[in-house]
């Protein structure tokens, strides 16, 4: 497995491979890797010959400087996991390499109204930062395919919009959520959970599963209200939102007959903010 710190070193590695017809997949991450990330690497192998994983904690997508500061960075462990998974190259640039003009460089594109809903409402400017760095990573790698997790469902929508905005010839593949045995969605942030937080965290997957199990039986508003009740008597957990939404617009679903429906949740568990979702159809 090769490690690249600069765009030029990465291009020097990739150019001959591309010239010989190899398909390239990019798996963008912020590191602190777990089996969810590795599942993206495994799925990438089905669509490409060469797998590049990027590890970059992108400052422009953090709204809370403390969150950026405490973001875990276990780089030796990450590299061992990627090597084991059969990743071919790791791109781990510095902030200066990605933002030569400084991280406050100008970037704004129209991502549609969904930018401002859910995560976008709680983390102002988050998706501008996300699409800014993903465009830079796409420019550096010029992959044929790029892998993203359904775990960050709204992020996938925003990246699709960015790819359409620039008309990029990149196939996006959305990968299923990998969970711990008890249902908690794997996340780099889970290591911050205390023992009590870890118990409380199960309410996210349980409330989503409740909606899945009762979707045919109960009206939409009752489903949502009863899912929110799961959070009511738990101390140490603050619900940011629980919504049953249209999977294209992220607006609340108006009818069960809509084509794509998804339940999404975000909650602060102790001092750690977690998100999760389940696709209803
Ligand atoms: P992150 O390092 O959190 O930016 O995540 C990198 C990629 O891994 C994103 O596309 C995430 O959606 C995806 N990912 C994160 N957690 C999971 C999970 N539990 N299962 C599958 N993919 C995930």
């Amino acid at each position: 497995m090769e490690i690249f710190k600069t765009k030029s070193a990465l291009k020097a590695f990739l150019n001959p491979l591309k010239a010989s017809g190899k398909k390239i997949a990019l798996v963008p991450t912020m590191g602190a890797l777990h089996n969810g990330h590795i599942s993206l690497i495994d799925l990438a192998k089905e669509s490409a010959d060469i797998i590049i994983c990027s590890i970059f904690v992108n400052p422009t997508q953090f709204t809370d400087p403390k969150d950026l500061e405490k973001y875990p960075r276990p780089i030796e462990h990450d590299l061992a996991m990627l090597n084991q998974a059969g990743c071919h190259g790791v791109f781990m640039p510095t902030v200066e390499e990605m933002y030569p003009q400084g991280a406050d460089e100008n970037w704004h594109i129209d991502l549609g109204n969904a930018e401002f809903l859910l995560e976008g409402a709680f983390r102002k400017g988050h998706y501008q930062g996300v699409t800014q760095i993903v465009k830079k990573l796409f420019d550096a790698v010029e992959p044929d395919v790029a892998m993203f997790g359904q775990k960050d469902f709204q992020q996938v929508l925003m990246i699709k919009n960015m790819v359409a905005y620039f008309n990029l010839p990149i196939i996006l593949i959305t990968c299923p959520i990998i969970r711990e045995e008890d249902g908690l969605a794997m996340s780099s942030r889970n290591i911050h959970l205390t023992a009590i937080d870890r118990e409380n965290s199960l309410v996210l997957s349980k409330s989503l599963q409740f909606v899945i199990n009762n979707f045919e039986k109960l009206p939409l508003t009752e489903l949502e209200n009863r899912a929110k009740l799961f959070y009511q008597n738990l101390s140490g957990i603050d619900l940011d939102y629980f919504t049953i939404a249209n999977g294209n617009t992220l607006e609340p679903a108006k009818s069960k007959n809509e084509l794509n429906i998804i339940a999404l949740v975000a909650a602060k568990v102790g001092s750690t903010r977690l998100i999760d979702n389940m696709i209803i159809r």
Side-chain angles (χ1 to χ4, degrees):
M1 188 175 74
E2 306 277 336
I3 296 173
F4 309 100
K5 299 231 160 124
T6 62
K7 292 176 268 185
S8 55
L10 177 64
K11 288 237 191 267
F13 172 74
L14 288 176
N15 283 346
L17 292 167
K18 288 181 186 173
S20 68
K22 301 278 190 228
K23 292 261 170 282
I24 314 292
L26 171 65
V27 181
T29 81
M30 298 204 299
L33 302 181
H34 48 67
N35 287 337
H37 296 109
I38 299 305
S39 76
L40 270 55
I41 304 277
D42 289 340
L43 286 170
K45 290 184 204 155
E46 294 175 14
S47 322
D49 308 301
I50 301 292
I51 319 301
I52 302 293
C53 178
S54 60
I55 298 181
F56 183 67
V57 183
N58 174 40
T60 70
Q61 71 190 66
F62 283 80
T63 30
D64 175 1
K66 275 201 216 101
D67 189 24
L68 172 62
E69 199 182 303
K70 79 170 193 182
Y71 202 84
R73 291 165 169 90
I75 192 63
E76 292 307 322
H77 174 258
D78 287 352
L79 293 177
M81 273 183 101
L82 290 174
N83 199 19
Q84 166 90 22
C87 181
H88 301 96
V90 185
F91 181 44
M92 29 188 290
T94 59
V95 172
E96 293 72 33
E97 178 73 5
M98 296 317 278
Y99 296 101
Q101 280 134 43
D104 56 354
E105 84 185 26
N106 232 0
W107 167 272
H108 190 273
I109 62 169
D110 183 0
L111 293 168
N113 191 49
E115 178 192 348
F116 308 108
L117 305 174
L118 309 180
E119 288 306 290
F122 282 87
R123 306 176 71 184
K124 298 264 183 282
H126 175 62
Y127 291 114
Q128 291 299 328
V130 167
T131 50
Q132 178 183 31
I133 190 61
V134 172
K135 173 68 164 60
K136 284 172 181 281
L137 292 168
F138 282 178
D139 288 346
V141 178
E142 297 183 287
D144 299 281
V145 300
M147 319 299 292
F148 293 93
Q150 178 205 315
K151 164 86 186 338
D152 298 278
F153 186 83
Q154 189 171 8
Q155 169 169 284
V156 175
L157 278 187
M158 295 297 103
I159 290 168
K160 277 186 189 156
N161 290 352
M162 183 273 280
V163 163
Y165 183 94
F166 291 108
N167 202 10
L168 302 177
I170 299 173
I171 295 168
L172 302 180
I173 298 181
T174 309
C175 307
I177 302 176
I178 305 299
R179 298 178 179 279
E180 302 290 354
E181 254 173 45
D182 59 8
L184 175 66
M186 289 188 183
S187 163
S188 305
R189 292 189 162 88
N190 290 352
I191 62 156
H192 296 311
L193 299 171
T194 65
I196 290 174
D197 295 341
R198 181 65 184 77
E199 259 173 56
N200 283 340
S201 69
L202 291 181
V203 72
L204 277 82
S205 55
K206 283 190 177 149
S207 56
L208 291 166
Q209 193 61 51
F210 168 83
V211 172
I212 301 281
N213 295 346
N214 293 283
F215 190 72
E216 299 304 335
K217 290 178 230 153
L218 300 174
L220 280 176
T221 43
E222 192 174 342
L223 279 168
E224 204 173 286
N225 289 339
R226 285 185 49 184
K228 285 179 182 163
L229 285 180
F230 278 68
Y231 297 79
Q232 225 170 33
N233 295 321
L234 280 179
S235 62
I237 183 153
D238 274 328
L239 183 62
D240 279 350
Y241 59 80
F242 188 104
T243 180
I244 302 173
N246 179 293
N248 297 320
T249 63
L250 298 182
E251 299 280 357
K254 292 188 187 71
S255 136
K256 285 191 185 176
N257 299 328
E258 289 174 27
L259 274 186
N260 301 306
I261 303 189
I262 178 166
L264 304 114
V265 61
K268 216 159 171 220
V269 182
S271 58
T272 310
R273 192 166 177 283
L274 300 180
I275 60 171
D276 198 355
N277 68 75
M278 289 189 192
I279 293 173
I280 298 167
R281 69 147 169 270

